[in-house]
Amino acid sequence: YIHSIVFDFFFNAQAPTEIYTLSLHDALPIYLYLRAREHFFNWSLEDNRQARDLLESAIQIEPDYAAALALHSEVLLRMWLNGWSDRPEEDLAESFAAAKRADEIDDQDSRTQTALGMAYLFQHRLEKAKHHFESALKLNPNDTRVLVYYSRQAVFDGDTNQAVEICHQAVTLNPYGKY
């Protein structure tokens, strides 16, 4: 499978042109991450599995790739949330570990803050979740995914009015988003 990715990387015009200036070792994890994002946003079991596999390959090549770790955390959490996991408790624990590691590597990336907020949310550590969602929004105030996830925190906290207000902000920023 990885051989087809490498072939794709060199010969597929869909690869971002800026990664061609990097070495294969540096560029391949980025390419794998970008492919994983495409699958992640398709919201199906098969796409989620493909995203997981691509991210695991990216992280194997570059263990300190914070964005890949953050997305891997979200992929595993989605597996757990949707009942798609063959090993739910392990996926939930790995999701939290990946989010923590991503944040340790780069706490100035809204993606790592979002992943850690989600991990804390489903541990019912609502104040920690809120802190990380607010940190993510300070880093990237127009990230509609953070807003939608933050609205979940408000629901868990019992503040449905705030949740609706936050969702309204997200839809205003991106009325065609997949939420």
Side-chain angles (χ1 to χ4, degrees), residues 95-157:
S95 172
F96 183 72
K100 285 286 285 181
R101 179 72 182 123
D103 185 60
E104 290 167 3
I105 294 167
D106 187 356
D107 67 353
Q108 295 302 303
D109 186 329
S110 67
R111 295 168 295 188
T112 65
Q113 294 295 320
T114 302
L116 193 51
M118 286 295 289
Y120 279 128
L121 182 64
F122 288 98
Q123 289 184 347
H124 301 282
R125 297 168 73 181
L126 300 181
E127 284 306 311
K128 284 192 171 278
K130 182 177 182 177
H131 166 77
H132 288 284
F133 290 138
E134 288 175 350
S135 294
L137 286 170
K138 285 178 188 167
L139 293 165
N140 188 356
N142 294 321
D143 189 333
T144 55
R145 282 180 1 98
V146 178
L147 288 166
V148 170
Y149 291 157
Y150 189 23
S151 74
R152 289 183 183 179
Q153 186 277 334
V155 169
F156 279 37
D157 207 22

Side-chain angles (χ1 to χ4, degrees), residues 18-152:
E18 62 271 10
I19 66 175
Y20 290 123
T21 62
L22 302 172
S23 72
L24 177 60
H25 183 272
D26 293 336
L28 188 55
I30 297 167
Y31 183 65
L32 294 169
Y33 168 78
L34 293 173
R35 291 275 310 273
R37 278 182 54 90
E38 289 176 30
H39 287 289
F40 179 74
F41 288 113
N42 286 333
W43 289 87
S44 74
L45 170 59
E46 185 54 36
D47 279 300
N48 209 69
R49 286 181 176 153
Q50 289 179 337
R52 180 194 60 205
D53 294 345
L54 289 163
L55 290 163
E56 288 173 357
S57 294
I59 293 164
Q60 185 176 11
I61 296 165
E62 181 52 59
D64 291 337
Y65 191 179
L69 286 161
L71 187 57
H72 189 245
S73 171
E74 289 191 55
V75 165
L76 293 173
L77 188 60
R78 182 181 288 168
M79 297 287 283
W80 176 79
L81 280 170
N82 289 334
W84 294 342
S85 178
D86 296 331
R87 39 185 220 113
E89 295 310 313
E90 291 89 349
D91 280 350
L92 186 59
E94 283 182 35
S95 172
F96 183 72
K100 285 286 285 181
R101 179 72 182 123
D103 185 60
E104 290 167 3
I105 294 167
D106 187 356
D107 67 353
Q108 295 302 303
D109 186 329
S110 67
R111 295 168 295 188
T112 65
Q113 294 295 320
T114 302
L116 193 51
M118 286 295 289
Y120 279 128
L121 182 64
F122 288 98
Q123 289 184 347
H124 301 282
R125 297 168 73 181
L126 300 181
E127 284 306 311
K128 284 192 171 278
K130 182 177 182 177
H131 166 77
H132 288 284
F133 290 138
E134 288 175 350
S135 294
L137 286 170
K138 285 178 188 167
L139 293 165
N140 188 356
N142 294 321
D143 189 333
T144 55
R145 282 180 1 98
V146 178
L147 288 166
V148 170
Y149 291 157
Y150 189 23
S151 74
R152 289 183 183 179

